[in-house]
Amino acid sequence: MSHEGKEKDVATGPSDAAVSEAVIDHDRMVALATDPHRGLRMRHVQLIAISGSIGSALFVSIGNPLTDAGPLGLLLGVGIWSIVVWAASNCLIEMTSLLPVDGGFVTFATRFVDRSFGTALGWNYIITQLALICFELTAINVIVEYWTLSLHPAILIGVGLVLLAIVNLYSVRWFGEVEFWISVTKLLLMLGLTLYTFITMVGGNPLGDKYGFRFWKDPGPFVGSSFKARLTGIFDSVVWSTFAIVGPDYISLIGGEVRNPRRILPRAFNSTIYRIVFFYLTGALCVGIVAASDDPSLLGAIAAGAPGAAKSPYVISMNRLGIPVLPSLVNALILISIFSTANSFTFTASRAMYGLSQRGQAPPILGRLNRQGVPYVAVLVSLLFGCLAFLQVSAGTAKVLNWWISLVGAAQLVTWTCIAITYLRFRAGLKAQDLFNVDFLPVRGYLQPLSGYWLLVWSPVVFIFNGYYVFLPSAWDTPSFIFAYGSVFIFLLILVLSKAWQVVGRKQSLGWIRTKEMDFVGDIKEIGEMTEASEEYRLSKPRTWAQKVSDFFF
C-alpha cells in the first residue's frame, strides 16, 4: 500500500524539470519586466512630456507674440499650432504603441520610408535638441541677471553642464525621478499664475483694480487696424508657437526606455490635448488678460532685452499692481523650469544619437551603454555641444538667444513634416499588407488620416513663410535667413549624401521602401513578450497607497 501510494505521489507531483522550467519562466518574466534600460514609469513619462515642452518661452518670451498680435491674435495663433501638435500626437500614438523601440519616430522613418530619410531626420532632430540645450543654458544667465550682473556667464553655463551630467549619466530611473520632482515646479508655477490672473482680475490686488478683460477692449483684441496687419500678427504667434509647443515627439523618442510601454504610452499620448489646453491655451489667455499689448513697460523691456522675468507679462502686471516679492519668486521658478527643460533636451538628444548608432546611421561609439543602460557616450557628446552656449561670452546673450530660437523653430518644422510623411507611409504599408482593419494596431489615433494630412500641410507652409521678414524692403539680413531656412538645407545635404552612399556603397535601391516590403513584424514578438511579462509582474505586486495615488493622477 505504502509503496503504491508513494508511486502515486511521484506520478502526480511536479517534476524537477517542471519546477525548474517554472522558475526559469518566472525569472525571465521578472527580467523582462524590470529591464534597467526600461526604467521610466507612467509618472516619469507624463512629467517628461511636460518638462520637455514647457520652458521659459511660456512664461517670458510669450510677451513678444502678445505685442505683435494682441490677446486674441495670440490665442488664435497658439490655438492653430496646438491643433497641429495634437495631429502629430495622433500620428505618433499608432506607430509608437505598436513599436515602442529606441529612436522612436526616427526609427520609424528608416523603417517605413527610407534609410537615408531616417538618417537625415535623425540628425536634423539631434541638431534641434542640441540647439535647445544651448538655448536653455544661455537663458539661465538671462534669468540670473534679473538679480545680479556680477556673475560671469561662463560660471553659470559650467555649473549647468555639470548638473546635467550628474542627472543624465547614472541611470534612466535616476533621471526620471529627478525630472519628475523638478517638473512638479512647472505645474505649480502654471497653476499659481493662472490663479494669480483670476484673483487679480476680479480685484484681489493692492490697488483693488477689477480690470477683468480691460485690455481686450483697450487697446483691443488685435494689434493693427488693417486685415494684413492682424493676419501678420496671428502668423507671428504661430511661428512663436512652433518653438514653444512640442511634446509628442519626446514621448515617441523615449518609447524604448518605458516600462510596460503599451499600457503607458497610449495614456501619455492621449493626455497631450490636456497639456495643450492647460499650459498653452490657458497661458495665452492669461497673459492677454494681465498685460496690454501696448504696455510701455512690456515694450520697453522687450526692446532693451531686459534680463530674466523682467520682460514677462506676468511680472509686468505684478509691478503695475504694486505686488512685491512675487516677481522674484516667479523668476526663481522659471530658473528651475529652464534647467528641467535643458535636462529633457539632453536626454532626447542622446537617445536620438543612440537610436541612430543602433542602425549604423551614426558612429558605433554613440551606442555604448553603462551598466544601468544609459548611452553615456551620447550623453557626453550632447553636453560637449552644449558648450557652444559659451558663445554668449563674446557675442552677447540676446543675439545668441535669437540665433538658437530661429534655428530650433525651423528645424522642428522639418521634423513635423517628416513625421507626417512617415505616418502616411506607415498607414499605406498597413493597407498594402492587409493589416489595417484586423486589430493589428494596439491603439488608433483620432481623426486619421485627416490628422496626418493636417500635419503634412501646416508644417511646410509655416516653414516657408517663417522667415518672411527678411524679404521685406530693406530688411535683408543674411544671418537671419540662414537661421530661418538653414535647417532644410542641412536636412537635404544629409539626405543626398546618405542616399548616395546607400546607392553606391551599399548597392541598394534609389527609391523608398515599397509598402509590401515594410517591416511590421520585426521586434513585435519581443515587445509582446515584454508587455505580457510587464502586466503579469505589475498585477503580481501589491499596490501601495502611494502607487495608487500616482496611478490616479498619472
Side-chain angles (χ1 to χ4, degrees), residues 88 94 202 209 213 228 241 338 355 393 406 428 463 537:
E94 292 189 5
V202 297
D209 182 11
F213 285 86
K228 179 182 177 182
S241 299
I338 288 176
V393 174
S406 299
F463 177 82
Y537 182 77

Side-chain angles (χ1 to χ4, degrees), residues 217-284:
K217 299 176 182 178
D218 181 22
F222 295 101
V223 170
S225 56
S226 67
F227 174 78
K228 179 182 177 182
R230 293 179 177 183
L231 186 62
T232 301
I234 293 172
F235 184 77
D236 286 342
S237 295
V238 172
V239 172
W240 173 84
S241 299
T242 64
F243 170 78
I245 307 177
V246 289
D249 46 331
Y250 299 135
I251 301 175
S252 176
L253 202 65
I254 65 176
E257 297 184 65
V258 175
R259 184 168 296 178
N260 201 352
R262 285 188 174 167
R263 175 176 177 268
I264 291 175
L265 292 175
R267 293 174 63 183
F269 277 114
N270 284 329
S271 65
T272 297
I273 187 65
Y274 304 113
R275 287 193 295 273
I276 286 173
V277 170
F278 177 68
F279 286 103
Y280 300 112
L281 294 179
T282 301

Side-chain angles (χ1 to χ4, degrees), residues 119-139:
T119 302
L121 170 60
W123 283 107
N124 174 79
Y125 190 74
I126 288 170
I127 291 170
T128 306
Q129 301 308 292
L130 295 177
L132 283 166
I133 295 171
C134 295
F135 171 84
E136 299 298 344
L137 288 172
T138 304

